[in-house]
């Protein structure tokens, strides 16, 4: 026998992603989710597979309509395996691109933080310049960028 779980209904409770996903699952598939007399939904183990997928897709920024389409594909069966794989691959690529965007400004801030930390240690930023100029040595900046590209921990970047 399947273990059953209860989540509160929406009345008077804060709407967290699990409850929103539960609403979606209940509204989309109606009878698939049991309710108690008090109106609380009783989820079975298999329901949590749907809930986890819904919550993860929501957190990944997938629209509700697209999430519904993905669940419909899953309910259709093996004939949609390729479609489901393509759907996830597309949204994975979109999420990776979205997550990569803030990385450049973060890397720049870490570079400048290291730059000023080492300048403070010597009392001058001229240690970073090409001799006789006020231009940052590109070799030094490239070395820092290689450390970042190699995923050097931020605390270790000061050891350059």
């Amino acid at each position: 026998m399947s273990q059953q779980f209860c989540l509160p209904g929406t009345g008077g409770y804060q709407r967290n992603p699990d409850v929103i996903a539960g609403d979606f699952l209940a509204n989309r598939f109606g009878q698939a989710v049991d309710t108690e007399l008090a109106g609380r939904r009783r989820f079975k183990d298999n329901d949590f597979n749907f809930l986890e997928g819904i919550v993860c897709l929501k957190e990944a920024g997938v629209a509700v309509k697209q999430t519904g389409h993905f669940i419909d594909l899953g309910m259709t069966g093996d004939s949609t395996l390729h479609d489901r794989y393509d759907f996830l691959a597309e949204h994975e690529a979109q999420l990776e691109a979205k997550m990569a965007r803030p990385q450049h400004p973060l890397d720049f801030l870490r570079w400048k933080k290291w730059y000023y930390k080492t300048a403070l240690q010597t009392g001058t930023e001229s240690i970073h310049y090409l001799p006789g100029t006020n231009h940052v040595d590109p070799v030094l900046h490239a070395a820092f960028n290689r450390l970042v590209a190699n995923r050097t921990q931020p605390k270790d970047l000061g050891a350059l």
Side-chain angles (χ1 to χ4, degrees):
M1 181 168 169
S2 167
Q3 182 181 5
Q4 295 186 342
F5 302 89
C6 293
L7 290 177
T10 59
Y13 291 95
Q14 180 180 5
R15 294 180 59 83
N16 63 43
D18 292 333
V19 173
I20 293 168
D23 289 346
F24 178 83
L25 186 60
N27 291 334
R28 186 95 177 167
F29 302 107
Q31 307 291 2
V33 179
D34 297 329
T35 58
E36 295 179 338
L37 289 176
R40 290 181 292 197
R41 294 184 184 89
R42 295 177 60 84
F43 293 97
K44 297 179 181 116
D45 291 339
N46 191 47
D47 296 332
F48 281 92
N49 291 327
F50 283 109
L51 292 172
E52 180 180 21
I54 292 166
V55 170
C56 287
L57 290 171
K58 180 182 183 328
E59 290 174 351
V62 177
V64 172
K65 186 174 183 176
Q66 290 178 307
T67 298
H69 174 68
F70 180 74
I71 290 174
D72 287 343
L73 289 172
M75 299 295 283
T76 301
D78 286 348
S79 64
T80 64
L81 285 171
H82 193 274
D83 294 331
R84 286 181 274 161
Y85 178 85
D86 289 346
F87 178 93
L88 293 175
E90 176 186 337
H91 287 287
E92 177 187 33
Q94 289 174 6
L95 184 57
E96 285 176 343
K98 192 183 301 183
M99 292 173 72
R101 278 185 228 131
Q103 189 61 47
H104 176 70
L106 183 58
D107 292 344
F108 177 79
L109 291 175
R110 288 181 175 151
W111 154 250
K112 292 309 274 187
K113 185 178 165 192
W114 172 85
Y115 175 97
Y116 290 116
K117 178 182 177 183
T118 54
L120 282 166
Q121 290 170 345
T122 61
T124 180
E125 63 185 297
S126 65
I127 61 164
H128 302 299
Y129 296 160
L130 290 170
T133 72
N134 63 351
H135 300 284
V136 175
D137 185 345
V139 172
L140 184 64
H141 197 178
F144 185 88
N145 286 338
R146 275 193 302 280
L147 289 173
V148 170
N150 291 332
R151 301 196 187 281
T152 302
Q153 294 297 313
K155 64 180 175 55
D156 297 329
L157 292 174
L160 209 182

